[in-house]
């Protein structure tokens, strides 16, 4: 481990995440070719998950009943919409997948892009600060800003390409693109960026993909612990 880089435990969570994403993509591709109720559930899962995570972020046991109800309202609306439009979604599940796919990648593009605005810290620079003890290296700051721009352009391009493939190509082609090709492209960009560090960064500033993932997880765990400590047991 080069000096100046925090030690990370084995990346078992990263392995589980990659396996989960691969399993979800394979399930989406398989059920899209054999539409059923499971197809709708898989298509709606990201909406339910994001609504649930959002509710968990703002929900606090110290709040009154009215505020807790408001915090849970988005999740309740998503579940109600899913129940009321079940038959329509079953007949138009690919449109739901399109909204899901484009929305996720457009949201990621916005997240990375907004961090490049003046007076903001580029997202990759902020994440590098979770790994590196010394962030005063101009070369590292320049590199992480450029990587942030690369991810913004990449996710924006995927969102645009998803719409174009959906409109121009056959449904099976779009399913193959969204469920299998996009995750593979994202993984390839991760690997390429990880390899590029050996070309553009000195040895003391290089951190592998596993180390980056563990630093992100440690940061998120610390933030979750800080929020939990402020709530009554």
């Amino acid at each position: 481990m080069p000096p100046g880089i925090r030690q990370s435990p084995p990346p078992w969570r990263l392995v589980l995440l990659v396996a989960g994403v691969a399993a979800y993509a394979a399930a989406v591709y398989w059920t899209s070719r054999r539409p059923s109720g499971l197809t709708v559930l898989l298509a709606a899962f990201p909406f339910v998950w994001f609504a649930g995570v959002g509710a968990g972020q703002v929900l606090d046991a110290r709040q009154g009943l009215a505020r807790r109800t408001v915090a849970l309202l988005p999740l309740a609306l998503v579940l109600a919409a899913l129940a009321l439009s079940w038959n329509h979604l079953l007949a138009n599940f690919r449109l739901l997948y399109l909204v899901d796919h484009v929305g996720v990648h457009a949201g990621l593009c916005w997240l990375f892009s907004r961090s490049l605005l003046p007076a903001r810290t580029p997202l990759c620079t902020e994440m590098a600060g979770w790994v590196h003890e010394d962030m005063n290296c101009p070369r590292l700051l320049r590199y992480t800003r450029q990587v942030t721009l690369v991810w913004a352009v990449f996710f924006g391009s995927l969102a645009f390409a998803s719409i174009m493939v959906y409109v121009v190509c056959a449904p099976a082609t779009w399913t193959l693109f969204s469920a299998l090709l996009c995750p593979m492209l994202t993984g390839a960009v991760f690997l390429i960026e990880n390899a590029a560090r050996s070309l553009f960064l000195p040895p003391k500033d290089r951190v592998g993909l596993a180390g980056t993932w563990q630093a992100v997880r440690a940061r998120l765990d610390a933030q979750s612990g800080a929020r939990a400590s402020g709530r009554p047991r």
Side-chain angles (χ1 to χ4, degrees), residues 120 170 191 222:
R120 290 183 179 272
L191 294 176

Side-chain angles (χ1 to χ4, degrees), residues 53-162:
V53 170
Q57 292 290 329
V58 299
L59 198 60
D60 193 322
R62 293 172 296 180
Q63 296 174 343
L65 178 61
R67 292 196 174 188
R68 279 183 284 172
T69 302
V70 171
L72 291 171
L73 186 59
L75 178 60
L77 290 176
V78 169
L79 294 176
L82 178 62
L84 293 174
S85 58
W86 181 265
N87 292 331
H88 179 73
L89 293 175
L90 188 57
N92 300 276
F93 66 91
R94 286 192 177 88
L95 185 59
L96 182 60
Y97 272 130
L98 176 67
V99 174
D100 174 21
H101 192 258
V102 173
V104 167
H105 290 90
L108 289 170
C109 175
W110 173 82
L111 186 66
F112 280 87
S113 298
R114 70 188 294 266
S115 71
L116 292 169
L117 295 174
R120 290 183 179 272
T121 302
L123 185 57
C124 291
T125 303
E126 180 180 348
M127 295 171 65
W130 304 346
V131 181
H132 296 270
E133 297 176 353
D134 181 12
M135 285 296 296
N136 294 320
C137 174
R139 193 172 179 181
L140 178 60
L141 294 174
R142 181 171 60 255
Y143 175 80
T144 53
R145 182 177 184 83
Q146 291 171 342
V147 170
T148 302
L149 177 61
V150 168
W151 279 114
V153 172
F154 174 74
F155 286 126
S157 299
L158 284 187
F160 178 76
S162 183

Side-chain angles (χ1 to χ4, degrees), residues 154-200:
F154 174 74
F155 286 126
S157 299
L158 284 187
F160 178 76
S162 183
I163 297 174
M164 292 297 99
V165 173
Y166 185 89
V167 172
V168 174
C169 300
T173 303
W174 182 85
T175 300
L176 182 65
F177 170 79
S178 62
L180 298 181
L181 185 57
C182 281
M184 292 173 62
L185 287 174
T186 304
V189 173
F190 267 114
L191 294 176
I192 292 171
E193 190 277 320
N194 185 59
R197 297 175 192 178
S198 62
L199 298 176
F200 299 104

